[in-house]
Amino acid sequence: MIIRKSGFLEKNTPIKYRISSIGVHSDTNKFSWWAGVQMGPPDPILGVTEAFKRDTNPKKMNLGVGAYRDDQGKPFVLDCVRKAEALISSKQLDKEYLAIGGLGDFTKSCAQLALGADSEVLKSGRNITVQTISGTGSLRIGANFLSRFHSASRDVYLPTPSWGNHTPIFRDAGMQLKAYRYYDPSTCGFDFKGTLDDISKMPERSVILLHACAHNPTGVDPKPEQWKEIADLVKKRDLLVFFDMAYQGFASGDIDRDAWAVRHFIEQGHNIVLSQSFAKNMGLYGERVGGLTLVCKDAEEAKRVESQLKILIRPIYSNPPMNGARIAATILNTTELYNIWLEEVHCMANRIIKMREQLAANLKSEGSTHNWEHVTDQIGMFCFTGLKPDQVERLTKEFSVYMTKDGRISMAGVTSGNVGYLAHGIHAVTK
Amino acid sequence: IMSLFGEVPQATPVAVFKVTNDFKEDPNPKKVNLGVGAYRTDEGQPWVLPVVKKVEKIIVADDSLNHEYLPILGLPEFRSSASKIALGEDSPAIQENRVGAVQCLGGTGALKIGAEFLRRWYNGNNNTRTPVYVSAPTWENHNAVFVNAGFEDVRPYKYWDAEKRGLDLSGFLGDLESAPKHSIFVLHACAHNPTGTDPTHVEWMQVAEVMKRRKLFVFFDSAYQGFASGCLDKDAWAVRYFITQGFEMFCAQSFSKNFGLYNERVGNLTIVARDPDNLKRVLSQMEKIVRVTWSNPPSQGARLVAVTLNNPELFSEWKDNVKTMADRVLSMRASLRAKLEALETPGTWDHITQQIGMFSFTGLNPNQVEYLIKEKSIYLMASGRINMCGLTTKNIDYVAESIHESVVNVQ
């Protein structure tokens, strides 16, 4: 038996309670509420980093999670972020709760960034934009909203493949997951015909999730003319469009270019749901900065929708965290910082483009006879190498190159210092 | 075109935020906000703790820090030090490696993750019919958290005795005795919100005895540790006592009030399991839940708290800051009671000083509350709950006189 004391007791505590306060814990009592809890499998994406950390090989590479690294392989804190932090620090602001929907300065500029400053939607006030816990939190609240209010359909169509976390998020929110063709493994490119074909068969009022730019995991984006056709067909089918925009600025290096599809759909009359993340384009990963926008029929509807979003948010986390949103708002609303930011995003995108070129070149000089054009055709942080699971496993086991099983690598983790080693490893497992 | 959202009804606003909203829009210069639970100085201003300002400067100046993702379960040094605050530095449960934690978005987030876990894994799998008991009355969001997590049966347990203005112990124990086995009970660790009425040590022991015998699940909500008495250990007595009694349990901790970090959303779900193996499996499933909710938690607030708790000097300074806040609240309690008694306001007012923490359940009825709001621009909750932190040496006379008026003039 193990005897423990429970600490001081109030005066006048009767003897019988003084005795029982000396807790007795019998070793023979093995009952647990959790005996039936199974060990959960490691997260397919975040689990990669954990495995990487355990590896002692000095040449190891983490090409798993999409977090930008500089050419020294180090995390990169943007200069505009540091400047914004210094500005904020000097203001000595209080820490009072934000409104449930978040920081007004942030949500306004967040919507503006996505929709464009001259957007008719913003002028008419028919959008509701709330601050969310980065992209995940945005998708989750959006999914919860659809689950509760989109009675016309339970179905959410995801492109094949999509970000691994999309499925569990929508499923946990009570939606049914369906798929549409998107990636063509034979070309490592866009299966435009397959996409159109599948959209044409979707039941009316279904939800279709589209990656606004820099598709994750494939890096394959439709061209503008293709987006136009998709928008037309989606309208014919009367589908509810849910855009996931986690990489605005990161794809082409240009904020407006990357938001083109979103803006086009809106111009075509689609009242979309939009998730935004500032994890990558502002390097604010751990601060959890995101936005959820619903484009409504008019301002009155937007108010009703807003009231219901608050009801959804309150029992999850009450109100969102200030720090990251304050930084993002400061950058977006301060001309000097905004311009620095545009430059830095451009630089990050360019470094990735350069790494793509170097990887393709190195694979060629390794003597690989495969077609690696997709490495430079694809756009954004990720490259869908085309590697099969067994090849991925070899690459990890023999070369300590960590990536997700689907063959996706984060180009952001590639540097001029390790691109040669990576090409060597890829060639070794594919020759 | 038919809008997809054409049928979405306007929801009623969350009451406590509406009170603050109405207060903001009131032009009366004498207005007082006794609504939302946030600390105020004697100047009626929010207070960023001096130790927090200090640590923030340290963080901003530290170039080696970045904004990378935290692990799914949060910042390790935050989780462990936060759990130690609740359980005690020398907690045997911690030494036995059967205590874990999930960093969450505030106390709300911690309750949410705990609720989601229980719904999936407690009392069979996905047993949404397990009754969840919350005190009558309780923090108004408790109900919604558990309902949204999928529980179909959220019920009140007797707690507040309106007549005697104190704890309805026999009612409480009676509900514990009659609750279906394995029911979940949400207990306020200290400074009960909204009543400010806590069980005594002996009363807690009686509660624990019934809960152990009837195999009821213990889910502590600890949002005011340090704030109730001014002493962290004293305020954690109930939580620590339950551990000595061998319970596996959850404790949702908030650092919003005791660190004044409201908008940084700093919370911790402390998990006490039977043994390390159970704990490991539980944490792995917690990760799954976190991943589909917010992926990983925000870093700023957790970093602030971790740096403070893990540095002896800063930790000491923090405890002083907490005591400062608790002491001001205590002095306002004493002052309000004294003034009401001096005014000979009908009724007894010792509950003002007997109650503990940020809130006082005044006992004012809805009509009297309405009178205070409409006629006096004194904003409080319809339940009669006032936030003691809204009182200052400058407004306490006005408030005391107004309460006196409402009691005398309004039935």
Side-chain angles (χ1 to χ4, degrees), chain A residues 309-374:
Chain A
L309 286 172
K310 289 180 180 172
I311 299 289
L312 283 168
I313 292 170
R314 172 75 163 151
I316 302 177
Y317 53 86
S318 278
N319 39 67
M322 162 68 95
N323 196 51
R326 177 71 76 189
I327 293 170
T330 302
I331 292 170
L332 293 173
N333 293 316
T334 310
T335 312
E336 190 208 324
L337 296 183
Y338 183 68
N339 289 333
I340 295 174
W341 177 55
L342 292 179
E343 261 182 60
E344 293 188 287
V345 170
H346 193 72
C347 273
M348 289 193 285
N350 272 356
R351 194 184 87 69
I352 288 177
I353 291 169
K354 209 154 138 228
M355 288 302 102
R356 289 181 178 279
E357 288 162 5
Q358 285 190 17
L359 179 58
N362 272 279
L363 283 164
K364 201 164 171 208
S365 50
E366 282 281 331
S368 179
T369 53
H370 295 290
N371 179 350
W372 295 103
E373 258 177 52
H374 54 283

Side-chain angles (χ1 to χ4, degrees), chain B residues 182-200:
Chain B
H182 307 314
S183 294
I184 296 163
F185 273 75
V186 179
L187 307 172
H188 297 228
C190 69
H192 183 271
N193 177 2
T195 70
T197 300
D198 291 344
T200 61

Side-chain angles (χ1 to χ4, degrees), chain A residues 123-395:
Chain A
K123 290 197 177 89
S124 62
R126 65 186 184 92
N127 67 301
I128 169 60
T129 301
V130 292
Q131 179 189 338
T132 56
I133 316 299
S134 205
T136 300
S138 177
L139 288 160
R140 184 54 197 257
I141 301 298
N144 284 355
F145 185 87
L146 293 177
S147 184
R148 188 171 279 185
F149 293 105
H150 188 54
S151 44
S153 174
R154 300 288 76 192
D155 293 339
V156 176
Y157 283 81
L158 299 180
T160 303
S162 193
W163 180 45
N165 206 19
H166 277 146
T167 295
I169 289 173
F170 281 100
R171 179 178 297 142
D172 203 57
M175 303 301 281
Q176 300 262 52
L177 277 312
K178 296 251 158 60
Y180 61 92
R181 278 171 288 167
Y182 186 85
Y183 176 74
D184 185 345
S186 65
T187 61
C188 290
F190 184 39
D191 181 1
F192 185 39
K193 259 191 105 248
T195 294
L196 291 179
D197 209 30
D198 286 350
I199 291 177
S200 68
K201 300 198 185 92
M202 289 178 192
E204 292 182 357
R205 305 294 194 97
S206 307
V207 180
I208 180 170
L209 185 130
L210 300 166
H211 295 226
C213 64
H215 180 273
N216 178 3
T218 68
V220 169
D221 287 348
K223 306 258 179 307
E225 314 82 67
Q226 294 171 321
W227 272 125
K228 284 178 179 166
E229 274 196 62
I230 293 170
D232 277 346
L233 185 56
V234 164
K235 195 193 285 194
K236 280 202 188 74
R237 299 303 307 150
D238 196 14
L239 307 174
L240 197 171
V241 174
F242 198 141
F243 265 112
D244 184 353
M245 184 154 70
Y247 299 98
Q248 188 185 4
F250 234 106
S252 66
D254 183 315
I255 293 295
D256 295 309
R257 234 173 108 182
D258 288 352
W260 186 87
V262 168
R263 297 175 190 182
H264 175 75
F265 270 68
I266 291 176
E267 275 161 31
Q268 295 300 301
H270 295 270
N271 285 350
I272 66 171
V273 179
L274 168 67
S275 283
Q276 289 170 265
S277 168
F278 289 84
K280 283 81 171 171
N281 60 13
M282 280 194 182
L284 290 174
Y285 309 92
E287 302 294 341
R288 319 308 292 129
V289 192
L292 173 69
T293 293
L294 277 82
V295 178
C296 303
K297 190 179 81 193
D298 52 39
E300 185 272 335
E301 182 173 277
K303 278 262 156 284
R304 279 184 284 117
V305 169
E306 178 185 18
S307 71
Q308 295 295 347
L309 286 172
K310 289 180 180 172
I311 299 289
L312 283 168
I313 292 170
R314 172 75 163 151
I316 302 177
Y317 53 86
S318 278
N319 39 67
M322 162 68 95
N323 196 51
R326 177 71 76 189
I327 293 170
T330 302
I331 292 170
L332 293 173
N333 293 316
T334 310
T335 312
E336 190 208 324
L337 296 183
Y338 183 68
N339 289 333
I340 295 174
W341 177 55
L342 292 179
E343 261 182 60
E344 293 188 287
V345 170
H346 193 72
C347 273
M348 289 193 285
N350 272 356
R351 194 184 87 69
I352 288 177
I353 291 169
K354 209 154 138 228
M355 288 302 102
R356 289 181 178 279
E357 288 162 5
Q358 285 190 17
L359 179 58
N362 272 279
L363 283 164
K364 201 164 171 208
S365 50
E366 282 281 331
S368 179
T369 53
H370 295 290
N371 179 350
W372 295 103
E373 258 177 52
H374 54 283
V375 170
T376 44
D377 283 344
Q378 288 165 7
I379 193 169
M381 205 179 264
F382 300 111
C383 171
F384 225 40
T385 55
L387 291 180
K388 310 271 183 305
D390 56 299
Q391 294 167 325
V392 170
E393 207 184 327
R394 278 190 64 198
L395 198 50

Side-chain angles (χ1 to χ4, degrees), chain B residues 7-19:
Chain B
E7 301 303 308
V8 174
Q10 176 79 27
T12 45
V14 177
V16 69
F17 298 133
K18 182 168 187 306
V19 164

Side-chain angles (χ1 to χ4, degrees), chain B residues 340 343-346 349 372 399-409:
Chain B
L340 289 171
L343 287 167
E344 292 180 355
T345 309
W349 299 101
L372 284 174
V399 172
E401 282 154 15
S402 304
I403 290 177
H404 177 82
E405 268 186 51
S406 75
V407 171
V408 165
N409 296 328

Side-chain angles (χ1 to χ4, degrees), chain A residues 4 31-34 37-38 40 43 95-96 136 286-288 301 304 307-308 317-319 322, chain B residues 3 8-9 11 40 56 67-68 96 108 237 248 263 265 274 281 284-285 288 291 294-296 299:
Chain A
R4 294 185 190 93
F31 171 78
S32 168
W33 289 126
W34 316 128
V37 175
Q38 293 147 25
D43 182 270
K95 301 216 169 284
E96 294 300 288
T136 300
E287 302 294 341
R288 319 308 292 129
E301 182 173 277
R304 279 184 284 117
S307 71
Q308 295 295 347
Y317 53 86
S318 278
N319 39 67
M322 162 68 95
Chain B
S3 166
V8 174
R40 293 284 177 270
E56 273 184 328
H67 294 289
E68 293 298 294
E96 287 158 16
T108 305
W237 187 88
E248 279 182 308
N263 69 19
R265 317 312 293 126
R274 176 70 57 226
R281 283 179 284 109
S284 75
Q285 293 298 344
K288 301 267 141 299
R291 186 58 164 146
W294 54 60
S295 271
N296 40 70
S299 62

